[in-house]
Amino acid sequence: MKILVTGFEPFGGMKVNPTSMLVENLQEEGVDGFEIYASTLPVVYDQCVETLLTKINEVNPDAVICCGLAFGRSSVTVERIGINVKDTAGEGLKGDNQGDKPVDERIITDGPDGLFSTLPLRKIVNDLLAEGIPAQISNTAGTYICNNTLYGVLNYFRINHHQALAGFIHFPAIPEMTVERPQIPSMSYETQYKALKTIIKSLKI
Ligand code: PCA
């Protein structure tokens, strides 16, 4: 089974984004029984989906697992749905990495309001919990770049009747990122890495 895993570059003034390290390290190490391809996407509304689709067309994966950082969340969250909204006003965000700050916009003018992830969400969460990793289904990926990417890939697969699975996983901050804000929850890089491997293995039919 061929899997494309993506992470994101740093954003919002942070120096690192653990998801980029997670996917690049996973590609290097590999997972038995899977062909792993990794890519780091830009935190830019106008480029994230395009970059992802280019990679999808290059790799032709059976499943696409996009990963992003959810600073402030305490567990690995498996996203259920991408919504047709771009909004930086409600999230206290300063805009994307190129300064784009959409407010209350639709991603695709005449697109569906929402699109469901096609990953086996409940199985993934149960497999993570069985490994002792805090995890839950999330019913919102926000309205920033991660949601935009999830909605974009699901909409592309919908329009093109593409059979590959696609979905999104949010990961917490790593402890090094919360030193100056100790009230923010974090999860060790090692646990996050184990989580990503577990998620891939959950896809085995
Ligand atoms: N997290 C952000 C964008 C990039 C990332 O890793 C988000 O949740 O939208």
Side-chain angles (χ1 to χ4, degrees):
M1 198 177 185
K2 227 192 261 184
I3 315 276
L4 174 62
V5 277
T6 68
F8 281 103
E9 64 185 9
F11 64 99
M14 292 180 264
K15 290 193 190 75
V16 293
N17 189 328
T19 61
S20 165
M21 303 188 268
L22 287 170
V23 301
E24 304 294 344
N25 286 340
L26 193 78
Q27 171 174 264
E28 212 173 298
E29 192 199 334
V31 181
D32 274 352
F34 294 90
E35 259 179 77
I36 308 288
Y37 296 84
S39 181
T40 294
L41 306 177
V43 178
V44 178
Y45 278 106
D46 284 348
Q47 292 172 15
C48 54
V49 179
E50 213 172 286
T51 309
L52 174 60
L53 297 184
T54 304
K55 194 74 188 177
I56 288 172
N57 288 319
E58 206 178 291
V59 170
N60 196 23
D62 301 300
V64 180
I65 302 177
C66 299
C67 303
L69 164 70
F71 195 76
R73 285 192 189 172
S74 54
S75 59
V76 174
T77 45
V78 184
E79 298 297 345
R80 193 192 300 272
I81 188 167
I83 60 171
N84 192 3
V85 177
K86 302 197 256 191
D87 184 61
T88 49
E91 301 213 1
L93 295 160
K94 292 195 184 77
D96 70 15
N97 281 357
Q98 290 200 350
D100 189 14
K101 299 180 208 171
V103 174
D104 300 337
E105 286 179 30
R106 286 175 86 82
I107 298 170
I108 308 281
T109 316
D110 55 356
D113 292 344
L115 291 166
F116 286 116
S117 164
T118 50
L119 295 179
L121 310 183
R122 191 62 64 187
K123 179 171 192 298
I124 290 174
V125 167
N126 288 340
D127 289 352
L128 288 167
L129 295 175
E131 287 290 330
I133 301 168
Q136 52 194 343
I137 290 178
S138 157
N139 293 312
T140 176
T143 55
Y144 191 42
I145 303 297
C146 293
N147 174 70
N148 197 83
T149 305
L150 174 60
Y151 185 89
V153 65
L154 291 172
N155 193 47
Y156 177 80
F157 281 1
R158 178 184 74 89
I159 291 168
N160 294 289
H161 306 286
H162 205 300
Q163 293 308 305
L165 304 175
F168 202 99
I169 317 286
H170 264 122
F171 288 83
I174 50 174
E176 296 82 333
M177 303 174 82
T178 65
V179 173
E180 275 154 32
R181 295 177 63 188
Q183 74 282 13
I184 298 287
S186 62
M187 182 184 279
S188 78
Y189 181 80
E190 291 68 29
T191 302
Q192 297 201 24
Y193 190 66
K194 185 172 156 195
L196 183 55
K197 271 193 185 170
T198 304
I199 292 164
I200 305 251
K201 289 181 190 155
S202 295
L203 299 185
K204 197 149 216 161
I205 316 146

